[in-house]
Coordinates of all heavy atoms in Angstrom, one line a residue:
M28 N 93.1 75.8 96.2 CA 93.0 76.3 97.6 C 92.2 77.6 97.5 O 92.5 78.5 96.7 CB 94.3 76.6 98.2 CG 94.2 77.1 99.6 SD 95.8 77.6 100.2 CE 95.2 79.0 101.2
N29 N 91.1 77.7 98.2 CA 90.3 78.9 98.2 C 90.1 79.5 99.6 O 89.2 80.3 99.8 CB 89.0 78.6 97.5 CG 89.2 78.4 96.0 OD1 89.9 79.2 95.4 ND2 88.6 77.4 95.5
K30 N 90.9 79.1 100.5 CA 90.9 79.7 101.9 C 92.2 80.5 102.1 O 93.3 80.1 101.7 CB 90.8 78.6 102.9 CG 90.4 79.0 104.2 CD 90.0 77.8 105.1 CE 89.7 78.4 106.5 NZ 89.4 77.3 107.4
K31 N 92.0 81.7 102.7 CA 93.2 82.5 103.0 C 94.1 81.9 104.1 O 93.6 81.4 105.0 CB 92.7 83.9 103.4 CG 92.0 84.7 102.3 CD 91.7 86.0 102.8 CE 90.9 86.8 101.7 NZ 90.6 88.2 102.1
K32 N 95.4 82.1 103.9 CA 96.3 81.7 104.9 C 96.5 83.0 105.8 O 96.5 84.1 105.3 CB 97.6 81.3 104.3 CG 98.6 80.8 105.3 CD 99.9 80.3 104.5 CE 101.0 80.1 105.5 NZ 102.3 79.9 104.9
L33 N 96.8 82.8 107.1 CA 97.0 83.9 108.0 C 98.5 84.0 108.3 O 99.0 83.4 109.3 CB 96.2 83.8 109.3 CG 94.7 83.5 109.2 CD1 94.1 83.3 110.5 CD2 94.1 84.7 108.5
P34 N 99.3 84.7 107.5 CA 100.7 84.8 107.7 C 101.1 85.6 109.0 O 102.2 85.3 109.5 CB 101.3 85.4 106.5 CG 100.2 86.1 105.8 CD 98.9 85.4 106.3
L35 N 100.3 86.6 109.3 CA 100.8 87.4 110.4 C 99.5 88.1 111.1 O 98.7 88.6 110.4 CB 101.7 88.5 109.9 CG 102.4 89.4 110.9 CD1 103.4 88.6 111.7 CD2 103.1 90.5 110.2
L36 N 99.4 88.0 112.4 CA 98.3 88.6 113.1 C 98.5 90.0 113.6 O 98.2 90.3 114.7 CB 97.8 87.7 114.2 CG 97.2 86.4 113.7 CD1 96.8 85.5 114.9 CD2 95.9 86.6 112.9
K37 N 99.2 90.8 112.7 CA 99.4 92.2 113.0 C 99.8 92.8 111.6 O 100.1 92.1 110.7 CB 100.5 92.4 114.0 CG 101.8 91.9 113.6 CD 102.9 92.2 114.7 CE 104.3 91.8 114.2 NZ 105.3 92.0 115.3
P38 N 99.8 94.1 111.5 CA 100.1 94.7 110.2 C 101.6 94.7 110.0 O 102.4 94.6 110.9 CB 99.6 96.2 110.4 CG 99.6 96.4 111.9 CD 99.3 95.1 112.5
H39 N 102.0 94.8 108.7 CA 103.3 95.0 108.3 C 103.6 96.5 108.2 O 102.9 97.2 107.5 CB 103.6 94.4 106.9 CG 103.4 92.9 106.8 ND1 104.5 92.1 106.9 CD2 102.3 92.2 106.5 CE1 104.0 90.8 106.8 NE2 102.7 90.9 106.5
T40 N 104.6 97.0 108.9 CA 105.0 98.4 108.8 C 106.0 98.5 107.7 O 107.1 97.9 107.8 CB 105.6 98.8 110.2 OG1 104.6 98.6 111.2 CG2 105.9 100.3 110.1
V41 N 105.7 99.2 106.6 CA 106.6 99.3 105.5 C 106.7 100.8 105.0 O 105.7 101.6 105.1 CB 106.1 98.4 104.3 CG1 106.2 97.0 104.7 CG2 104.7 98.8 103.8
D42 N 107.8 101.1 104.5 CA 108.1 102.4 103.9 C 107.8 102.3 102.4 O 108.4 101.4 101.7 CB 109.5 102.9 104.1 CG 109.8 103.2 105.6 OD1 108.9 103.6 106.3 OD2 110.9 102.9 106.0
V43 N 106.9 103.1 101.9 CA 106.6 103.1 100.4 C 107.0 104.4 99.8 O 107.2 105.4 100.4 CB 105.0 102.9 100.2 CG1 104.6 101.5 100.7 CG2 104.2 103.9 100.9
K44 N 107.3 104.3 98.5 CA 107.9 105.4 97.7 C 106.8 106.0 96.8 O 106.1 105.3 96.0 CB 109.1 105.0 96.9 CG 110.2 104.3 97.8 CD 111.0 105.4 98.5 CE 112.1 104.7 99.2 NZ 112.4 105.3 100.5
K45 N 106.8 107.3 96.7 CA 105.9 108.1 95.8 C 106.0 107.6 94.4 O 107.2 107.5 93.9 CB 106.2 109.6 95.9 CG 105.4 110.4 95.0 CD 105.8 111.9 95.1 CE 105.0 112.7 94.2 NZ 105.5 114.1 94.2
G46 N 104.9 107.3 93.7 CA 104.9 107.0 92.3 C 105.2 105.5 92.1 O 105.0 105.0 90.9
K47 N 105.5 104.7 93.1 CA 105.8 103.3 92.9 C 104.6 102.5 93.0 O 103.7 102.8 93.8 CB 106.9 102.8 93.9 CG 107.4 101.5 93.6 CD 108.6 101.1 94.5 CE 109.0 99.6 94.2 NZ 110.0 99.2 95.0
K48 N 104.5 101.4 92.2 CA 103.3 100.5 92.2 C 103.7 99.3 93.1 O 104.8 98.7 92.9 CB 103.0 100.1 90.8 CG 101.7 99.3 90.7 CD 101.4 98.9 89.2 CE 101.0 100.1 88.4 NZ 100.5 99.6 87.0
Y49 N 102.8 98.9 93.9 CA 103.0 97.7 94.8 C 101.8 96.7 94.6 O 100.7 97.1 94.2 CB 103.0 98.1 96.2 CG 104.1 99.0 96.6 CD1 104.0 100.4 96.5 CD2 105.3 98.5 97.1 CE1 105.0 101.3 96.8 CE2 106.4 99.4 97.4 CZ 106.2 100.8 97.2 OH 107.3 101.6 97.6
A50 N 102.1 95.4 94.8 CA 101.1 94.4 94.7 C 101.0 93.7 96.0 O 101.9 92.8 96.4 CB 101.4 93.4 93.6
W51 N 100.0 94.0 96.8 CA 99.8 93.4 98.2 C 99.2 92.0 98.0 O 98.2 91.8 97.3 CB 98.9 94.3 99.0 CG 98.5 93.7 100.3 CD1 99.2 93.7 101.4 CD2 97.2 93.2 100.6 NE1 98.5 93.2 102.5 CE2 97.2 92.8 102.0 CE3 96.0 92.9 99.9 CZ2 96.2 92.2 102.6 CZ3 94.9 92.4 100.6 CH2 95.0 92.0 101.9
C52 N 99.8 91.0 98.7 CA 99.3 89.6 98.7 C 98.0 89.6 99.4 O 97.9 89.9 100.6 CB 100.3 88.7 99.3 SG 99.7 87.0 99.6
S53 N 96.9 89.1 98.8 CA 95.6 88.9 99.5 C 95.4 87.5 99.9 O 94.5 87.2 100.7 CB 94.5 89.4 98.6 OG 94.4 88.5 97.5
C54 N 96.2 86.5 99.4 CA 95.9 85.1 99.7 C 96.7 84.6 100.9 O 96.3 83.6 101.5 CB 96.3 84.2 98.5 SG 98.0 84.1 98.2
G55 N 97.8 85.2 101.3 CA 98.6 84.8 102.4 C 99.6 83.8 102.1 O 100.4 83.4 103.0
L56 N 99.8 83.4 100.8 CA 100.7 82.3 100.5 C 102.1 82.8 100.1 O 103.0 82.0 100.1 CB 100.1 81.5 99.3 CG 98.8 80.7 99.6 CD1 98.3 80.1 98.4 CD2 99.1 79.7 100.7
S57 N 102.2 84.1 99.8 CA 103.5 84.6 99.3 C 104.6 84.4 100.3 O 104.4 84.6 101.5 CB 103.3 86.1 99.0 OG 104.6 86.6 98.6
S58 N 105.8 84.1 99.9 CA 106.9 84.1 100.8 C 107.6 85.4 100.9 O 108.6 85.6 101.5 CB 107.9 83.0 100.3 OG 108.4 83.4 99.0
K59 N 107.0 86.4 100.1 CA 107.6 87.8 100.2 C 106.6 88.7 100.8 O 106.4 89.9 100.4 CB 107.9 88.3 98.8 CG 109.0 87.4 98.1 CD 109.3 88.0 96.7 CE 110.5 87.1 96.1 NZ 110.8 87.5 94.8
Q60 N 105.9 88.3 101.9 CA 105.0 89.1 102.6 C 105.5 90.5 102.9 O 106.6 90.6 103.3 CB 104.5 88.4 103.9 CG 103.7 87.2 103.6 CD 102.4 87.4 102.9 OE1 101.7 88.5 103.0 NE2 102.0 86.5 102.1
P61 N 104.7 91.6 102.8 CA 103.3 91.5 102.5 C 103.0 91.6 101.0 O 101.8 91.8 100.6 CB 102.8 92.8 103.2 CG 103.9 93.8 103.0 CD 105.2 92.9 103.1
Y62 N 104.0 91.4 100.1 CA 103.8 91.5 98.7 C 103.6 90.2 98.0 O 104.0 89.2 98.4 CB 105.0 92.3 98.1 CG 105.2 93.6 98.8 CD1 106.3 93.9 99.5 CD2 104.2 94.6 98.7 CE1 106.5 95.1 100.2 CE2 104.4 95.9 99.3 CZ 105.5 96.1 100.0 OH 105.7 97.3 100.7
C63 N 102.9 90.3 96.9 CA 102.6 89.1 96.0 C 103.9 88.5 95.4 O 104.7 89.3 94.9 CB 101.6 89.5 94.9 SG 101.3 88.2 93.7
D64 N 104.0 87.2 95.4 CA 105.1 86.5 94.7 C 104.6 85.6 93.6 O 105.3 84.8 93.1 CB 106.1 85.8 95.6 CG 105.4 84.6 96.2 OD1 104.2 84.3 96.0 OD2 106.2 83.9 97.0
G65 N 103.3 85.6 93.3 CA 102.7 84.8 92.3 C 102.1 83.5 92.8 O 101.5 82.7 92.1
S66 N 102.3 83.2 94.1 CA 101.8 81.9 94.7 C 100.3 81.8 94.7 O 99.8 80.7 94.9 CB 102.2 81.8 96.2 OG 103.6 81.8 96.3
H67 N 99.5 82.8 94.4 CA 98.1 82.8 94.3 C 97.6 82.1 93.1 O 96.4 81.8 92.9 CB 97.5 84.2 94.4 CG 97.9 85.0 93.2 ND1 99.0 85.8 93.1 CD2 97.3 85.0 91.9 CE1 99.1 86.3 91.9 NE2 98.1 85.9 91.2
S68 N 98.4 81.7 92.2 CA 98.0 81.2 90.8 C 97.1 80.0 90.9 O 96.3 79.9 90.0 CB 99.2 80.9 90.0 OG 100.0 79.9 90.5
E69 N 97.1 79.2 91.9 CA 96.2 78.1 92.0 C 95.0 78.3 92.9 O 94.3 77.4 93.2 CB 97.0 76.9 92.6 CG 98.2 76.4 91.8 CD 97.8 75.8 90.4 OE1 96.8 75.1 90.4 OE2 98.5 76.1 89.4
T70 N 94.8 79.6 93.2 CA 93.7 80.0 94.1 C 92.7 80.9 93.4 O 93.0 81.4 92.3 CB 94.2 80.7 95.4 OG1 94.6 82.0 95.1 CG2 95.3 79.9 96.0
K71 N 91.7 81.3 94.1 CA 90.7 82.3 93.5 C 91.2 83.7 93.8 O 90.5 84.7 93.4 CB 89.3 82.1 94.1 CG 89.2 82.4 95.6 CD 87.8 82.2 96.1 CE 87.7 82.6 97.5 NZ 86.4 82.5 98.1
F72 N 92.3 83.9 94.6 CA 92.7 85.2 95.0 C 93.6 85.9 94.0 O 94.3 85.3 93.2 CB 93.4 85.1 96.3 CG 92.5 84.6 97.4 CD1 92.7 83.3 97.8 CD2 91.5 85.3 98.0 CE1 91.9 82.7 98.8 CE2 90.7 84.8 99.0 CZ 90.9 83.5 99.4
K73 N 93.5 87.2 94.0 CA 94.4 88.1 93.2 C 95.1 89.1 94.1 O 94.5 89.5 95.1 CB 93.6 88.8 92.1 CG 92.8 87.9 91.2 CD 93.5 87.7 89.9 CE 92.6 87.0 88.9 NZ 92.8 85.6 88.9
P74 N 96.3 89.6 93.7 CA 96.9 90.7 94.5 C 96.1 92.0 94.3 O 95.4 92.2 93.4 CB 98.3 90.8 93.9 CG 98.1 90.2 92.5 CD 97.1 89.2 92.5
V75 N 96.3 92.8 95.3 CA 95.7 94.2 95.3 C 96.8 95.1 94.9 O 97.8 95.3 95.6 CB 95.1 94.6 96.6 CG1 94.7 96.0 96.6 CG2 94.0 93.7 97.0
V76 N 96.7 95.7 93.7 CA 97.8 96.5 93.2 C 97.4 98.0 93.5 O 96.3 98.4 93.3 CB 97.9 96.4 91.6 CG1 99.0 97.3 91.1 CG2 98.3 94.9 91.3
F77 N 98.4 98.7 94.0 CA 98.1 100.1 94.4 C 99.4 100.9 94.1 O 100.5 100.4 94.1 CB 97.7 100.2 95.8 CG 98.7 99.8 96.9 CD1 99.4 100.8 97.6 CD2 99.0 98.5 97.1 CE1 100.4 100.4 98.5 CE2 99.9 98.1 98.1 CZ 100.6 99.1 98.8
T78 N 99.1 102.2 93.8 CA 100.2 103.2 93.5 C 100.2 104.2 94.6 O 99.2 104.7 95.0 CB 100.0 103.8 92.1 OG1 99.9 102.8 91.1 CG2 101.1 104.8 91.8
V79 N 101.4 104.5 95.0 CA 101.6 105.4 96.2 C 101.7 106.9 95.7 O 102.5 107.2 94.8 CB 102.8 105.0 97.0 CG1 103.1 105.9 98.1 CG2 102.6 103.6 97.5
K80 N 100.9 107.8 96.3 CA 101.0 109.2 96.0 C 102.0 110.0 96.8 O 102.4 111.0 96.4 CB 99.6 109.8 96.1 CG 98.6 109.2 95.1 CD 97.2 109.8 95.3 CE 96.3 109.2 94.3 NZ 94.9 109.3 94.7
V81 N 102.3 109.4 98.0 CA 103.2 110.1 98.9 C 104.2 109.1 99.5 O 103.7 108.0 99.9 CB 102.4 110.8 100.0 CG1 103.4 111.5 101.0 CG2 101.4 111.8 99.5
S82 N 105.5 109.4 99.6 CA 106.4 108.5 100.3 C 106.1 108.6 101.8 O 106.1 109.7 102.3 CB 107.9 109.0 100.0 OG 108.2 108.8 98.6
E83 N 105.9 107.5 102.4 CA 105.5 107.5 103.8 C 105.6 106.1 104.3 O 105.8 105.1 103.6 CB 104.1 108.0 104.0 CG 103.0 107.2 103.3 CD 101.6 107.8 103.5 OE1 101.4 108.6 104.3 OE2 100.7 107.3 102.7
T84 N 105.4 106.0 105.7 CA 105.3 104.7 106.3 C 103.8 104.3 106.4 O 103.0 105.1 106.8 CB 105.9 104.7 107.7 OG1 107.2 105.1 107.6 CG2 105.7 103.4 108.4
V85 N 103.5 103.1 105.9 CA 102.1 102.6 106.0 C 102.0 101.3 106.7 O 103.0 100.6 106.9 CB 101.5 102.5 104.5 CG1 101.4 103.8 103.8 CG2 102.3 101.5 103.7
Y86 N 100.8 100.9 107.0 CA 100.5 99.6 107.8 C 99.7 98.7 106.9 O 98.5 98.9 106.7 CB 99.8 99.9 109.1 CG 100.7 100.9 109.9 CD1 100.4 102.2 109.9 CD2 101.7 100.4 110.7 CE1 101.2 103.1 110.6 CE2 102.5 101.2 111.4 CZ 102.3 102.6 111.4 OH 103.1 103.4 112.1
L87 N 100.4 97.7 106.2 CA 99.7 96.8 105.3 C 99.2 95.6 106.1 O 99.9 95.1 107.0 CB 100.6 96.4 104.2 CG 101.2 97.5 103.3 CD1 102.1 96.9 102.2 CD2 100.0 98.3 102.6
C88 N 98.0 95.2 105.8 CA 97.3 94.1 106.5 C 98.2 92.8 106.4 O 98.7 92.4 105.3 CB 96.0 93.8 105.8 SG 95.2 92.3 106.5
G89 N 98.4 92.2 107.6 CA 99.1 90.9 107.6 C 98.2 89.7 107.8 O 98.6 88.6 107.5
C90 N 97.0 89.9 108.3 CA 96.1 88.8 108.5 C 95.3 88.4 107.3 O 94.6 87.4 107.2 CB 95.2 89.0 109.7 SG 93.9 90.2 109.4
K91 N 95.2 89.3 106.3 CA 94.5 89.1 105.0 C 93.0 89.2 105.2 O 92.2 88.7 104.4 CB 94.9 87.8 104.3 CG 96.4 87.6 104.2 CD 97.1 88.8 103.5 CE 98.6 88.6 103.4 NZ 99.3 89.7 103.0
H92 N 92.5 89.7 106.3 CA 91.1 89.8 106.5 C 90.6 91.3 106.6 O 89.4 91.6 106.9 CB 90.7 89.1 107.8 CG 90.5 87.6 107.6 ND1 91.6 86.8 107.4 CD2 89.5 86.8 107.6 CE1 91.2 85.6 107.3 NE2 89.9 85.6 107.3
T93 N 91.4 92.2 106.3 CA 91.0 93.6 106.3 C 89.9 93.9 105.3 O 89.8 93.2 104.2 CB 92.2 94.6 105.9 OG1 91.8 95.9 106.0 CG2 92.8 94.3 104.5
K94 N 89.1 94.9 105.6 CA 88.0 95.3 104.6 C 88.5 96.6 103.9 O 87.7 97.2 103.2 CB 86.7 95.5 105.4 CG 86.2 94.2 105.9 CD 84.9 94.3 106.7 CE 84.3 93.0 107.1 NZ 85.3 92.2 107.9
K95 N 89.7 97.0 104.2 CA 90.3 98.2 103.6 C 91.6 97.9 102.9 O 92.6 98.6 103.1 CB 90.5 99.3 104.6 CG 89.2 99.8 105.3 CD 89.4 100.9 106.3 CE 88.1 101.4 106.8 NZ 88.3 102.4 107.9
S96 N 91.6 96.8 102.2 CA 92.9 96.3 101.6 C 93.5 97.4 100.7 O 92.7 98.1 100.0 CB 92.6 95.0 100.8 OG 91.8 95.2 99.7
P97 N 94.8 97.5 100.7 CA 95.8 96.7 101.4 C 96.1 97.1 102.8 O 97.0 96.5 103.4 CB 97.0 96.8 100.5 CG 96.9 98.3 100.0 CD 95.4 98.5 99.9
F98 N 95.4 98.0 103.3 CA 95.8 98.6 104.6 C 95.1 97.9 105.8 O 93.9 97.4 105.7 CB 95.4 100.1 104.7 CG 96.1 100.8 103.5 CD1 95.4 101.2 102.4 CD2 97.5 101.0 103.5 CE1 96.0 101.9 101.4 CE2 98.1 101.7 102.5 CZ 97.3 102.1 101.4
C99 N 95.8 97.9 106.9 CA 95.2 97.3 108.1 C 94.0 98.1 108.6 O 94.0 99.3 108.7 CB 96.3 97.3 109.2 SG 95.8 96.7 110.8
D100 N 93.0 97.3 109.0 CA 91.8 98.0 109.6 C 91.5 97.5 111.0 O 90.4 97.7 111.6 CB 90.5 97.8 108.7 CG 90.0 96.4 108.7 OD1 90.7 95.5 109.2 OD2 88.9 96.2 108.1
G101 N 92.5 96.7 111.6 CA 92.3 96.1 112.9 C 91.6 94.8 113.0 O 91.3 94.3 114.0
S102 N 91.2 94.2 111.8 CA 90.5 93.0 111.8 C 91.3 91.8 112.4 O 90.7 90.9 112.9 CB 90.2 92.5 110.3 OG 89.3 93.4 109.7
H103 N 92.6 91.9 112.5 CA 93.4 90.8 113.1 C 93.1 90.7 114.6 O 93.3 89.6 115.2 CB 94.9 91.1 113.0 CG 95.4 92.4 113.6 ND1 95.3 93.6 112.9 CD2 95.9 92.7 114.8 CE1 95.7 94.6 113.7 NE2 96.1 94.1 114.8
K104 N 92.5 91.7 115.2 CA 92.2 91.7 116.6 C 90.9 90.8 116.9 O 90.7 90.4 118.0 CB 91.9 93.1 117.2 CG 93.2 93.9 117.2 CD 92.9 95.4 117.6 CE 94.1 96.3 117.4 NZ 93.7 97.7 117.6
L105 N 90.2 90.5 115.8 CA 89.0 89.8 115.9 C 89.1 88.3 115.6 O 88.2 87.5 115.7 CB 87.9 90.4 115.0 CG 87.6 91.8 115.3 CD1 86.6 92.4 114.2 CD2 87.1 92.1 116.7
L106 N 90.4 87.9 115.1 CA 90.6 86.5 114.7 C 91.0 85.6 115.8 O 91.5 86.0 116.9 CB 91.7 86.5 113.6 CG 91.3 87.3 112.3 CD1 92.5 87.3 111.4 CD2 90.1 86.7 111.7
Ligands
LIG8 S1 100.8 85.5 96.3 FE1 99.1 86.1 97.5 S2 98.0 87.3 96.1 FE2 99.7 86.8 95.0

């Protein structure tokens, strides 16, 4: 499978912790959205790994079409 699934047409509002590493799902197949659960293994997609510098609330892309991954850029409004 090489087409992204659209699990959510809005961002995921999540609290992230300073110093922690996260893996955002870019394929849309994970059952642990917005994070990767390894379901991408049969696709061309890879998770986007990022480390947080400040504990805060962030908006992670739910539609998987953002151009600023892993963060929402409003692309879901165009789908
Ligand atoms: S399950 Fe989607 S990138 Fe890993």
Side-chain angles (χ1 to χ4, degrees):
M28 181 188 148
N29 290 316
K30 193 170 181 184
K31 293 181 180 184
K32 183 179 171 192
L33 306 177
L35 190 65
L36 289 177
K37 63 181 185 179
H39 294 269
T40 304
V41 296
D42 294 324
V43 293
K44 303 282 184 220
K45 178 182 177 183
K47 189 171 177 187
K48 190 182 283 188
Y49 297 88
W51 174 77
C52 168
S53 67
C54 72
L56 296 174
S57 175
S58 62
K59 296 182 178 177
Q60 294 295 330
Y62 304 113
C63 174
D64 71 354
S66 297
H67 63 269
S68 62
E69 301 291 320
T70 75
K71 67 176 183 177
F72 300 103
K73 301 260 189 267
V75 174
V76 177
F77 64 103
T78 303
V79 175
K80 294 181 180 156
V81 179
S82 294
E83 62 182 344
T84 300
V85 297
Y86 303 95
L87 299 180
C88 174
C90 74
K91 312 305 178 187
H92 280 71
T93 182
K94 292 178 178 56
K95 296 181 178 177
S96 63
F98 303 105
C99 176
D100 70 352
S102 291
H103 60 276
K104 295 174 186 170
L105 305 173
L106 298 174

